[in-house]
Amino acid sequence: MKIKLSSREMHECQILGQDTVKICKIQNLPPRLDTPDENRVLSNVQGFRAEYAVAKIFGCDLPTLNVVTDGGVDLWIDDLSVDVKLTKKPDGDLIFDSFDSFKADISILVALTDVDNVVDILGWIDKSNFESVAQDRNYGYGSRKVVESVGLHPIETLWSEVIDSRYGPG
């Protein structure tokens, strides 16, 4: 499901991404990857774009700046905690460092597209299903837990469940 962000949303993501990197530098926190600052900012901006797109389609609160940590939860869809993951590949993988790093109830995978203000929500999975189907894969920096995007549930199924929970008769 491709989602277009408005100019305002793009601006807010830019500011959040820049602020995140600046706060980390002020706190002397080492970057997760050894990259120049502009790449760190871009990675953070892109991550916020993914989170904004998910928040937009579910009508939940937008992501905010977290000074210490988000505890593995980027968003809340009603009472459901969500970890939004970003891939730069159109059919990328959902990756966690370990099963323990999957802290939220569900994870949603979002891919970048060729258009800056458009992202593609590839699908979702809950923690228990992730743990039962994930494979170990090494991308060159140690073994990670991985589910390919084709193994995820379509985002429309989650949206339908959320809407039914909110507004359904039962």
Side-chain angles (χ1 to χ4, degrees), residues 8-20:
R8 178 181 175 168
E9 291 163 337
M10 293 289 286
H11 174 77
E12 290 172 0
C13 291
Q14 184 69 39
I15 299 305
L16 283 167
Q18 291 171 329
D19 286 352
T20 298

Side-chain angles (χ1 to χ4, degrees), residues 48-64:
F48 280 114
R49 289 177 186 166
E51 293 172 15
Y52 261 63
V54 171
K56 188 172 189 168
I57 67 165
F58 286 100
C60 58
D61 292 340
L62 295 172
T64 58

Side-chain angles (χ1 to χ4, degrees), residues 47-48 50-52 54-55 60-64 66 69-77 80-86 96 103-104 106-108:
F48 280 114
E51 293 172 15
Y52 261 63
V54 171
C60 58
D61 292 340
L62 295 172
T64 58
N66 298 293
T69 178
D70 63 12
V73 176
D74 297 313
L75 301 170
W76 287 90
I77 301 172
L80 190 67
S81 60
V82 181
D83 190 347
V84 177
K85 294 291 191 179
L86 179 70
F96 280 91
K103 303 281 188 196
I106 67 168
S107 184
I108 298 176

Side-chain angles (χ1 to χ4, degrees), residues 33-51:
L33 300 173
D34 187 22
T35 58
D37 284 349
E38 64 270 10
N39 291 350
R40 290 170 54 197
V41 169
L42 179 59
S43 292
N44 278 281
V45 168
Q46 291 169 335
F48 280 114
R49 289 177 186 166
E51 293 172 15

Side-chain angles (χ1 to χ4, degrees), residues 32 69-76 79-85 94-108 125-128 130-131 145:
R32 183 175 172 136
T69 178
D70 63 12
V73 176
D74 297 313
L75 301 170
W76 287 90
D79 227 15
L80 190 67
S81 60
V82 181
D83 190 347
V84 177
K85 294 291 191 179
L94 177 62
I95 305 168
F96 280 91
D97 291 343
S98 67
F99 289 137
D100 288 340
S101 64
F102 194 139
K103 303 281 188 196
D105 297 320
I106 67 168
S107 184
I108 298 176
I125 194 167
D126 64 60
K127 185 176 182 171
S128 63
F130 181 85
E131 289 177 352
K145 304 297 182 186

